[in-house]
Amino acid sequence: GKAAPSTSHLIWNCAPIKLRNTTRSIADNAMAPERPPTSTAEERLLTPVQEQPPLPHTTAWELPGISPRLGQEISAFLTTEWSMSPRTLLGTDGGSKYGLASWAVALGCDTVGEPMVGEDSVATAAEIMAIFQLLGAIAGVIGDVVTDTGVDDQRLESSEPLALDIASDCKPAIRFAKSTILPRQRYRIHIAIRSYLRTISDAGVT
């Protein structure tokens, strides 16, 4: 053999050593037969390497879309709740682990949530996204809910205006949504949130 054989040669190609037939062989899973490596990565790592699909493209300056499912759920929820009481409560939440984050909105006993696109997201960003998604969904359906479902007529018969209470346990996200000063980060989301709040207010909802 070679004077200074490589480790991969000793493991996979050196017949006298025969390591490949003992402990240094690759199996795709516990039921699959052992096989030689099919790539340099498998040769070095001594384990099967499976290709991972690329992550969805995302950039910090792109404004996320509002969840269609959340819009449908919000419309049904507000129509039902406001038909019984002019005031209703919703909740938002977000979390992150290992750089992957997700947001959620609580509608009574139901919850709508989705993962955030991309990596390296923190919990505060997920909390902000939850508020952004909720306000965007409300702004998208508020006109139809107030005008086309008869809720507006019920409000005129009573002296109490329609109101929304939104619960969040993240003070930085609350400050972000309520601030009138344009932030240096996530400013597109901040502008959108302010626009959604104006739309909701213009519909006569406090």
Side-chain angles (χ1 to χ4, degrees):
K2 297 180 179 180
S6 64
T7 301
S8 60
H9 172 81
L10 292 175
I11 293 175
W12 300 111
N13 301 312
C14 188
I17 302 250
K18 296 182 179 179
L19 286 179
R20 195 181 70 180
N21 297 326
T22 56
T23 60
R24 298 298 182 91
S25 52
I26 285 179
D28 289 315
N29 53 60
M31 301 301 294
E34 296 175 347
R35 62 173 177 80
T38 59
S39 65
T40 302
E42 290 187 345
E43 183 182 78
R44 299 295 193 271
L45 298 174
L46 308 177
T47 186
V49 176
Q50 299 179 354
E51 290 190 14
Q52 299 294 323
L55 293 172
H57 170 72
T58 180
T59 58
W61 55 83
E62 291 179 350
L63 189 65
I66 302 300
S67 167
R69 181 191 167 205
L70 179 59
Q72 296 173 358
E73 296 288 343
I74 283 287
S75 179
F77 176 80
L78 293 181
T79 301
T80 302
E81 291 295 311
W82 277 340
S83 67
M84 298 182 292
S85 171
R87 196 176 198 93
T88 188
L89 174 66
L90 307 99
T92 63
D93 199 9
S96 174
K97 189 172 184 178
Y98 305 127
L100 302 177
S102 60
W103 60 266
V105 172
L107 310 171
C109 297
D110 296 325
T111 302
V112 178
E114 293 181 3
M116 292 180 61
V117 177
E119 295 182 298
D120 300 327
S121 295
V122 296
T124 300
E127 296 273 6
I128 292 173
M129 180 58 64
I131 295 175
F132 165 81
Q133 289 287 336
L134 174 58
L135 294 177
I138 294 173
V141 303
I142 194 69
D144 293 337
V145 171
V146 171
T147 304
D148 298 339
T149 62
V151 173
D152 192 42
D153 297 334
Q154 298 174 21
R155 180 185 56 169
L156 292 176
E157 295 175 0
S158 66
S159 58
E160 190 173 358
L162 296 177
L164 285 170
D165 293 321
I166 299 176
S168 173
D169 61 355
C170 181
K171 290 183 179 180
I174 295 173
R175 287 196 298 266
F176 179 90
K178 296 177 67 175
S179 175
T180 57
I181 301 175
L182 189 66
R184 293 183 178 180
Q185 295 182 339
R186 302 183 180 89
Y187 65 91
R188 291 180 185 272
I189 291 181
H190 182 268
I191 293 173
I193 286 177
R194 303 305 302 176
S195 175
Y196 297 151
L197 288 172
R198 285 192 297 270
T199 300
I200 296 170
S201 178
D202 291 343
V205 179
T206 60

